[in-house]
Amino acid sequence: MKDDKLDSFIQLLYQTHKAEWEATPKIRACVGWLSDLFEFLFPNNHANKLSIYGGHLKKNQIDLENILLSYLDPKDIDVEGAVIAFYDSLNEIYQDLRHDASMIYEKDPAATSVHEVIVSYPGFYAIAVYRIAHQLTRLAIPILPRILSEHAHGKTGVDIHPKAEIGVPFCIDHGTGIVIGATSIIGKHVTIYQGVTLGAAQVSKDLSETKRHPTVGDNVVIYARSTILGGRTLIGHHSVIGGSVFLTKSVEPFSHVFNTHQLRIEVKEGLQ
């Protein structure tokens, strides 16, 4: 590309994206804020003074306020009020996450402690980021929740839209490949394994304000690689959805749904 064409192209990019740059928080700042918040909630190092915790939290509050001020028109949102409301909800978020971690520990025979779940399980990390991002969404803060959820998606392979409604406690086992759409509703004591999709039966922009994703009742287990689609699809409480099921219709409570294909194993003589 010649210099004059390159300069024109650079100018085009700059003018096209200038407004978007000004309206978008810096991803590094958002991820840094999230990491500091997670470290405050679940510290890896022992703080020998209570004041250290208080200082950590105060800095985190200031960082969130700066993120919001960096891209939000004050006329569109009460930044100070949103920051106060978020940190007022932090104890509830923390208690919910402790319940989530305990359920993962109880469900996974390989887990040796709740602490192990918190510091090393990708499923727990995905849930933690979801609960933080969901609270920001409830406060009508744009963009930031999606930045956080996509950061968790990249780290864990679990894609949870921050607008989804997920009860407490919630267990993700293994996690890679899970997709939970924006209008999904998930009850309490639900366990989901890797590769599960709670998706929309139709993908169309004019359906953005409609219920497009399934509702899952309390005490449901959904095994690996199952796909459940549709806003009218309801999985009744205490149901079990087996692996590799494709489901687009509702099932009653206490249902067991499994594939009907059969696995055939033959051992040829002389090859044992």
Side-chain angles (χ1 to χ4, degrees):
M1 187 180 290
K2 293 182 178 179
D3 289 346
D4 57 340
K5 290 186 176 180
L6 180 60
D7 290 342
S8 296
F9 179 59
I10 291 172
Q11 286 295 325
L12 174 63
L13 287 178
Y14 178 77
Q15 295 300 328
T16 301
H17 298 300
K18 185 174 184 295
E20 295 174 347
W21 293 336
E22 293 173 347
T24 304
K26 293 181 180 179
I27 293 176
R28 181 177 296 180
C30 298
V31 173
W33 171 80
L34 173 67
S35 298
D36 287 344
L37 180 60
F38 194 86
E39 175 67 19
F40 170 76
L41 293 174
F42 305 104
N44 285 322
N45 298 315
H46 296 287
N48 56 14
K49 290 184 179 180
L50 186 61
S51 60
I52 294 177
Y53 285 110
H56 191 153
L57 185 60
K58 183 63 177 178
K59 178 184 180 300
N60 196 254
Q61 289 178 286
I62 294 171
D63 288 345
L64 178 57
E65 184 172 356
N66 287 335
I67 288 170
L68 300 183
L69 288 171
S70 73
Y71 76 108
L72 290 175
D73 188 333
K75 294 181 293 185
D76 295 334
I77 188 171
D78 177 6
V79 172
E80 182 179 0
V83 171
I84 291 172
F86 176 80
Y87 287 94
D88 281 349
S89 69
L90 200 56
N91 179 52
E92 181 179 356
I93 292 172
Y94 175 75
Q95 297 300 334
D96 288 348
L97 289 175
R98 296 296 307 196
H99 289 308
D100 294 326
S102 294
M103 181 178 176
I104 294 172
Y105 167 69
E106 291 165 3
K107 289 281 187 177
D108 186 357
T112 61
S113 68
V114 173
H115 181 66
E116 180 187 25
V117 170
I118 290 171
V119 300
S120 66
Y121 273 46
F124 175 76
Y125 185 78
I127 295 169
V129 176
Y130 155 75
R131 297 212 183 278
I132 292 167
H134 180 68
Q135 181 60 23
L136 294 171
T137 297
R138 293 179 62 188
L139 295 172
I141 296 174
I143 303 177
L144 176 58
R146 285 307 303 271
I147 290 175
L148 301 183
S149 64
E150 289 307 317
H151 166 72
H153 183 192
K155 283 179 67 70
T156 67
V158 178
D159 183 0
I160 308 177
H161 196 287
K163 288 185 178 180
E165 300 282 344
I166 302 177
V168 180
F170 179 49
C171 174
I172 288 177
D173 198 333
H174 299 293
T176 305
I178 287 175
V179 177
I180 299 175
T183 61
S184 299
I185 299 174
I186 299 174
K188 302 176 182 178
H189 298 279
V190 171
T191 300
I192 294 181
Y193 287 80
Q194 69 273 17
V196 167
T197 296
L198 301 181
Q202 300 180 57
V203 180
S204 177
K205 193 66 177 179
D206 58 8
L207 298 176
S208 61
E209 299 301 320
T210 63
K211 175 85 165 65
R212 308 182 304 283
H213 305 94
T215 297
V216 178
D218 296 343
N219 297 286
V220 168
V221 178
I222 306 175
Y223 283 102
R225 298 182 304 280
S226 286
T227 298
I228 304 172
L229 304 180
R232 296 182 180 179
T233 303
L234 171 62
I235 306 303
H237 59 82
H238 293 86
S239 291
V240 175
I241 309 300
S244 300
V245 165
F246 187 88
L247 194 60
T248 59
K249 62 181 181 180
S250 297
V251 299
E252 297 294 325
F254 298 99
S255 295
H256 284 208
V257 182
F258 297 102
N259 266 318
T260 57
H261 70 273
Q262 294 182 344
L263 180 66
R264 183 176 179 179
I265 300 176
E266 294 181 354
V267 179
K268 295 192 178 293
E269 187 176 345
L271 298 179
Q272 292 92 330

